[in-house]
Amino acid sequence: MSYELPDEGQAPIEFRPSAEAQVVAEGPRDLALVFLGGSLVAGVGDPKGQGWVTRVVGRTQHPDLELTAYNLGVRGDTSADVLHRWTTEVPSRWSGRSERRIVVSVGTNDVLQGISLARHRLNLANLLDDAATAGVGTFVVSPPPTDDADLNSRLEVLVEAQADVCGRRDVPFVDSFTPLAGHDQWRTDLAASRVAHHPGQAGYGLIAWLVLHHGWGPWLQIS
């Protein structure tokens, strides 16, 4: 799966919306938006302290949307950790909100910690299925490539599995691995980073661009 990036890449994929989230019919929508994942969600390595999540949230402000965003990125988290925190940490963020949505981005630590591909698929599928049952809108962002060729070869397989899990459920999925694997600015940013396998300011900006331009607005039903 490939996406268009600024000044290079291929045409963007067709967006297929998931249909599990409820939207308030009148007045500003009172939306709780939770980002769940590991260190890349937390923005580790960004000297500006923004990561891609803060950049995306900053571009999501809309007059018809009363948005409360929560970054629940935890360094070192695997899909098993994220699945657990989905039930223990996320529900309190929903309190008093009429619309609930969650963005999941996890995977690199699964590969680093030896979690099998089958277990990763199951963890992601269980989270997405639980969310659908609860009426929570879901959006998945794949892990990006790293500065390690062997790790990347394994991540590529994991990203393909994530795309399949999401495709079977009509859950929006952003592949941030494929378009960045050969991207010069991404590679330069990784090489300059003081944190292994993590980008800096420019790299996080590229991830944010991919998210914002591949289904984000239609998923949130904002123009």
Side-chain angles (χ1 to χ4, degrees):
M1 184 179 296
S2 60
Y3 293 141
E4 181 184 4
L5 279 165
D7 300 324
E8 68 178 273
Q10 301 178 7
I13 64 167
E14 178 183 358
F15 172 68
R16 294 188 301 160
S18 56
E20 67 280 80
Q22 295 181 348
V23 178
V24 178
E26 297 181 359
R29 292 159 51 201
D30 185 12
L31 171 64
L33 180 60
V34 176
F35 294 81
L36 190 61
S39 56
L40 288 163
V41 169
V44 171
D46 185 350
K48 295 292 185 179
Q50 293 181 305
W52 64 267
V53 170
T54 299
R55 288 175 168 86
V56 167
V57 171
R59 294 287 299 276
T60 306
Q61 305 304 317
H62 191 277
D64 297 331
L65 204 63
E66 185 176 321
L67 175 66
T68 306
Y70 300 93
N71 187 329
L72 300 187
V74 174
R75 193 168 185 174
D77 260 16
T78 66
S79 59
D81 298 317
V82 165
L83 179 61
H84 173 70
R85 292 200 295 118
W86 152 253
T87 60
T88 58
E89 293 184 23
V90 175
S92 63
R93 274 73 182 182
W94 302 145
S95 180
R97 306 282 70 80
S98 57
E99 187 179 346
R100 305 168 296 166
R101 294 180 185 255
I102 185 167
V103 181
V104 181
S105 185
V106 69
T108 304
N109 290 314
D110 285 53
V111 175
L112 291 172
Q113 297 185 33
I115 292 178
S116 71
L117 186 62
R119 174 53 61 180
H120 176 83
R121 288 182 61 109
L122 181 62
N123 289 338
L124 179 60
N126 283 342
L127 193 159
L128 298 181
D129 291 345
D130 286 351
T133 300
V136 176
T138 50
F139 191 101
V140 177
V141 180
S142 86
T146 71
D147 47 4
D148 183 293
D150 178 64
L151 176 56
N152 284 344
S153 66
R154 290 178 286 167
L155 273 175
E156 185 175 14
V157 176
L158 181 141
V159 170
E160 291 175 353
Q162 289 184 338
D164 181 62
V165 170
C166 293
R168 291 172 183 268
R169 292 161 175 79
D170 286 332
V171 169
F173 175 75
V174 174
D175 174 5
S176 70
F177 181 92
T178 305
L180 295 179
H183 195 281
D184 289 340
Q185 187 180 31
W186 174 262
R187 290 178 172 179
T188 299
D189 208 46
L190 279 179
S193 177
R194 292 182 294 178
V195 183
H197 311 322
H198 291 71
Q201 182 180 358
Y204 277 115
L206 287 171
I207 298 174
W209 191 96
L210 285 167
V211 172
L212 288 166
H213 288 82
H214 295 93
W216 185 252
W219 179 62
L220 289 174
Q221 299 181 17
I222 58 175
S223 57

